[in-house]
Amino acid sequence: MISRCAVPFLVLALAACGSEAEEPKSPEEVQAEIEKLPTQTPGLYRITTKLLDVDVADLAPEQADLMKQKGDLKPDVSEQCVTQEESDKGVKDVVKGISEASGGGSCSFSKFAVDGSELDSVMTCEGPLGSGGDVAIAGTVEDTGFDLVMDMKIDASVMGEIAMKMNVKSERIGDCP
């Protein structure tokens, strides 16, 4: 399971927008775009993750509605302290972390673009036993937070296709305790 502290960095690395697929980008090309992102200002951040929509191919409509209601009613809220050292380091190890977090699968970015505070990229992963998926996220990244919408389509082979849409928002709320 991914720790809540890792969410901001993974979100930035997995960020995508539903663009046309392109040739896979090299880790160096992705890293060059990551370097354009603003460095987080040290401090205490509130991270809110909210499920916006979920569709599981083999799930009864009533169960899917229940999942949506639970996601809508109770967003996941956590806090993370970003130290000066973490701020100075930035997100330089993100691409490496993604490849390590993929659980034996392989992931590639077909797009990863930063334009000012706008982030736009597409990542496809292939996992064991035919599983895999695409992650698309669109939004803004600033030095005091980000606001991104993730659109994920996952082929879980055994369960069928799962589509989820979620909003992940981070905002600086003060100094670290």
Side-chain angles (χ1 to χ4, degrees):
M1 182 169 194
I2 298 169
S3 78
R4 288 182 180 172
C5 293
V7 168
F9 297 111
L10 290 177
V11 166
L12 294 176
L14 294 173
C17 177
S19 306
E20 290 182 28
E22 299 174 10
E23 290 297 312
K25 302 293 182 200
S26 71
E28 294 79 18
E29 289 173 311
V30 173
Q31 194 64 49
E33 289 297 305
I34 288 173
E35 295 290 333
K36 295 178 185 178
L37 292 170
T39 302
Q40 275 189 302
T41 301
L44 186 62
Y45 286 79
R46 177 179 299 122
I47 303 159
T48 305
T49 305
K50 184 175 184 179
L51 181 64
L52 302 175
D53 195 18
V54 63
D55 182 23
V56 180
D58 295 334
L59 194 62
E62 300 82 26
Q63 292 172 317
D65 287 342
L66 183 60
M67 285 178 70
K68 290 177 191 178
Q69 288 174 5
K70 286 184 178 180
D72 286 341
L73 295 175
K74 189 174 180 192
D76 181 43
V77 180
S78 62
E79 291 182 357
Q80 174 189 1
C81 177
V82 175
T83 65
Q84 183 66 52
E85 181 181 357
E86 291 167 327
S87 176
D88 291 344
K89 186 176 181 181
V91 291
K92 295 178 181 175
D93 294 331
V94 168
V95 175
K96 180 181 175 191
I98 290 299
S99 63
E100 292 173 356
S102 63
S106 62
C107 297
S108 63
F109 290 96
S110 59
K111 182 173 188 174
F112 198 107
V114 175
D115 184 10
S117 64
E118 298 296 317
L119 183 59
D120 179 12
S121 66
V122 177
M123 186 177 82
T124 300
C125 293
E126 294 180 22
L129 305 172
S131 63
D134 298 313
V135 177
I137 300 176
T140 57
V141 179
E142 298 177 347
D143 62 344
T144 57
F146 57 82
D147 190 358
L148 302 168
V149 175
M150 299 175 64
D151 191 358
M152 298 169 276
K153 291 182 179 47
I154 303 162
D155 181 0
S157 65
V158 177
M159 292 179 60
E161 188 172 294
I162 301 168
M164 290 192 328
K165 190 174 206 174
M166 61 194 309
N167 176 247
V168 181
K169 185 175 187 173
S170 170
E171 60 184 326
R172 188 177 188 280
I173 57 174
D175 294 332
C176 292

